[in-house]
Amino acid sequence: MKIYLKIWRQKDAASKGKMVDYTMEGIEGDMSFLEMLDILNEELITKGEEPIEFDHDCREGICGTCSLQINGRPHGPDTMITACQLHMRSFNDGDTITIEPFRAKAFPVIKDLIIDRTAFDRIQQAGGFISVNTSGHTIDANSIPIEKEKADDSFYAAACIGCGACVAACKNASAMLFTSAKVSQFALLPQGRVEATDRVLNMVRQMDIEGFGNCTNTGACEVECPKGISLENIARMNREYLSASLKG
Amino acid sequence: MTKLIQSSIARKVVMALSGIFLVLFLALHFTINFTSVISPDTFNEFSHFMGYNPVVQFLMQPILIAGVVIHFVMGIILEIQNNRARGVKYVQFKGSANAPWVSRNMIYSGAVVLAFLGLHFYDFWLHEMAFKYVEVNPEDPTRYYAETVEKFAPIWRTVLYVISFGLLSLHLWHGFASSFQTMGLNNKYTPAIVNFTKIYAVAIPLGFAFIALYHHFNPIIH
């Protein structure tokens, strides 16, 4: 396949970026999207040019590191996958593919396609945990009976890999789906109820401080989430937040 | 309480609650307006009651105006914040791939409805205020039907009203069900709420459009 690429190039956080055109020939449908970028980078290095920086780690859809806006959609045209799981067979010979970093004020570009997602870490640090004494007297989590339905919902929420596709897809760059998944995974379990009030208040406050937008329930985040995190989590977080605010 | 007002979720809840209040008001407004098609006398009676009852005039009317103002001011604030949250804009953003047009363009459908409200206030509310408090005319419980018919005589006004009702429909299509999600209601009743929203979003604006067209064409036909 012959593929035409338009890729965002930005020297560093302070520089202004621009789209740069590249042409790739001999691309196989069985190549992963990131392999295609690897080949492009090898060509650039051979020519003595600066390779394109992009984030990746596990390359099997688990780590949430890859963060590419491909043809206007986070992680590309297919659903329920990350960019590393996207294959070139999803494109046709002669296609033009636009590749940009995820865009949000709270996710500043570091270089080319790499963004700083530590805003998510700070939201998590604000309350996305339970306080457990791990000094050797830790109680087995399985000793507390939990309804199957709640355990399942908690598990589904915990499947969030924090890739940021929800923010990238949202027209408001809202982080509600991410934050709500992290609130929900604990709110649904008895171990998480103990600190539930402070957790939701602190995590939402941090989310607002980071400068993410407001949710307008378009549902774009749910469609683009590679792990299928549901909007039900946002409704749950809203309930948790309102009840915590009234208590506080 | 201050913290609550500053939070993104609280701002959204304010939008949702004021929106639901306005949705309920629309149902009442439609019911009264529809009587003008069935019985001019009943319409005159209702209109006179709404225009001269002190509870309606000095309690419910200010609450309604506050509801409208809160809804659009908060909508504009949220829109500005949301635009800022993106920072550098995408070169390519395929919003249609993952969200319906109505949900992504609430600010535009809302802006048209707001502009329409300006015209509607000028047409009826300001006229009413002038009649009662500036010109200090005596009460006339029989004037409302004739005044309404007269208002819809020009085709430009009727067309503007019908177009605005179309945009109101789009605004309700997303906004009504969305309010429940914002307030934390997403459960087994959600499909029923979404279906009711769709019926309401079509039926009420269609009904309003019918009333406007009826009063434009009825005098021409007869």
Side-chain angles (χ1 to χ4, degrees):
Chain A
M1 283 196 290
K2 190 174 184 181
I3 298 288
Y4 301 95
L5 298 167
K6 288 179 182 296
I7 302 178
W8 183 262
R9 301 301 310 262
Q10 186 172 334
K11 196 181 166 201
D12 51 46
S15 305
K16 214 178 165 189
K18 61 172 183 180
M19 299 301 280
V20 177
D21 292 349
Y22 299 95
T23 305
M24 299 280 294
E25 294 200 41
I27 297 298
E28 299 289 332
D30 289 340
M31 282 179 186
S32 79
F33 197 81
L34 298 193
E35 275 180 283
M36 182 271 295
L37 286 178
D38 289 339
I39 293 168
L40 173 61
N41 273 346
E42 280 173 19
E43 285 178 11
L44 292 175
I45 292 165
T46 309
K47 283 194 275 185
E49 291 179 29
E50 185 86 359
I52 298 154
E53 301 269 354
F54 61 94
D55 261 332
H56 59 95
D57 190 10
C58 75
R59 296 206 177 198
E60 54 184 352
I62 298 170
C63 68
T65 309
C66 53
S67 52
L68 302 176
Q69 184 83 355
I70 302 164
N71 282 349
R73 296 181 67 180
H75 299 305
D78 296 347
T79 52
M80 294 288 282
I81 58 164
T82 52
C84 65
Q85 294 172 296
L86 179 67
H87 284 77
M88 295 310 293
R89 67 179 80 96
S90 298
F91 302 94
N92 298 313
D93 184 35
D95 275 3
T96 299
I97 305 173
T98 307
I99 311 171
E100 293 175 78
F102 286 175
R103 298 278 189 207
K105 203 173 140 203
F107 287 165
V109 172
I110 297 170
K111 187 175 183 182
D112 293 337
L113 302 169
I114 296 181
I115 51 167
D116 178 358
R117 278 171 289 183
T118 50
F120 270 11
D121 296 340
R122 290 187 288 274
I123 293 173
Q124 189 77 352
Q125 285 158 6
F129 52 80
I130 56 168
S131 304
V132 177
N133 186 344
T134 53
S135 62
H137 304 289
T138 315
I139 300 165
D140 190 329
N142 290 326
S143 63
I144 303 169
I146 300 167
E147 299 97 309
K148 175 82 167 71
E149 218 172 85
K150 285 194 173 177
D152 284 349
D153 285 345
S154 171
F155 184 81
Y156 296 143
C160 168
I161 52 176
C163 66
C166 46
V167 175
C170 177
K171 76 175 190 68
N172 313 319
S174 166
M176 288 280 276
L177 195 67
F178 165 79
T179 311
S180 69
K182 299 303 174 193
V183 165
S184 288
Q185 70 184 58
F186 296 115
L188 286 156
L189 301 178
Q191 294 94 330
R193 291 309 313 166
V194 183
E195 296 158 302
T197 304
D198 285 345
R199 176 180 305 111
V200 71
L201 292 176
N202 293 338
M203 290 180 79
V204 169
R205 191 181 64 228
Q206 190 62 39
M207 178 184 78
D208 290 342
I209 289 170
E210 298 294 345
F212 291 105
N214 305 284
C215 173
T216 49
N217 303 322
T218 67
C221 53
E222 186 184 52
V223 173
E224 299 294 0
C225 175
K227 297 298 157 187
I229 303 296
S230 162
L231 286 181
E232 284 175 30
N233 291 298
I234 296 183
R236 183 179 297 109
M237 178 169 77
N238 290 356
R239 285 199 300 276
E240 288 275 322
Y241 185 83
L242 292 172
S243 118
S245 299
L246 294 173
K247 273 188 214 164
Chain B
M1 189 53 81
T2 319
K3 276 183 196 168
L4 191 65
I5 298 300
Q6 285 168 349
S7 103
S8 56
I9 294 178
R11 283 193 295 266
K12 284 293 301 164
V13 168
V14 168
M15 276 305 276
L17 287 174
S18 56
I20 285 180
F21 169 70
L22 295 174
V23 163
L24 292 173
F25 166 74
L26 271 183
L28 172 72
H29 196 352
F30 173 74
T31 309
I32 294 172
N33 284 17
F34 195 67
T35 60
S36 70
V37 174
I38 304 165
S39 158
D41 291 340
T42 313
F43 178 68
N44 279 336
E45 240 173 84
F46 267 129
S47 302
H48 186 70
F49 173 79
M50 298 301 273
Y52 284 90
N53 183 286
V55 176
V56 174
Q57 281 297 297
F58 303 113
L59 182 67
M60 287 171 69
Q61 190 167 261
I63 291 173
L64 174 64
I65 293 170
V68 171
V69 170
I70 287 169
H71 195 71
F72 83 75
V73 168
M74 193 57 87
I76 292 167
I77 291 171
L78 288 169
E79 182 66 18
I80 292 168
Q81 287 179 336
N82 292 343
N83 272 324
R84 280 191 193 143
R86 176 63 76 213
V88 178
K89 304 290 177 216
Y90 282 113
V91 173
Q92 192 181 6
F93 184 69
K94 210 175 273 179
S96 59
N98 47 39
W101 187 93
V102 282
S103 70
R104 290 179 285 119
N105 293 284
M106 290 293 277
I107 191 71
Y108 300 113
S109 55
V112 173
V113 172
L114 182 63
F116 163 75
L117 279 180
L119 174 66
H120 192 52
F121 261 55
Y122 172 78
D123 282 348
F124 292 95
W125 190 77
L126 278 183
H127 166 80
E128 194 63 17
M129 291 299 113
F131 184 91
K132 285 190 293 197
Y133 304 117
V134 181
E135 297 159 15
V136 201
N137 290 306
E139 289 187 26
D140 177 7
T142 61
R143 65 190 164 92
Y144 302 97
Y145 182 79
E147 283 176 4
T148 304
V149 173
E150 193 193 319
K151 280 285 174 208
F152 287 108
I155 186 69
W156 66 265
R157 181 180 278 117
T158 308
V159 168
L160 279 182
Y161 270 57
V162 170
I163 292 171
S164 304
F165 295 141
L167 272 295
L168 172 67
S169 174
L170 297 178
H171 203 71
L172 290 171
W173 187 274
H174 174 71
F176 193 7
S178 172
S179 306
F180 290 90
Q181 161 78 11
T182 297
M183 290 189 301
L185 292 166
N186 187 329
N187 50 36
K188 60 183 176 178
Y189 302 110
T190 300
I193 292 170
V194 170
N195 287 334
F196 179 76
T197 291
K198 287 176 180 172
I199 294 167
Y200 192 94
V202 172
I204 296 287
L206 203 63
F208 275 121
F210 168 74
I211 295 165
L213 291 167
Y214 177 85
H215 290 307
H216 177 76
F217 287 108
N218 192 41
I220 298 171
I221 294 164
H222 297 98

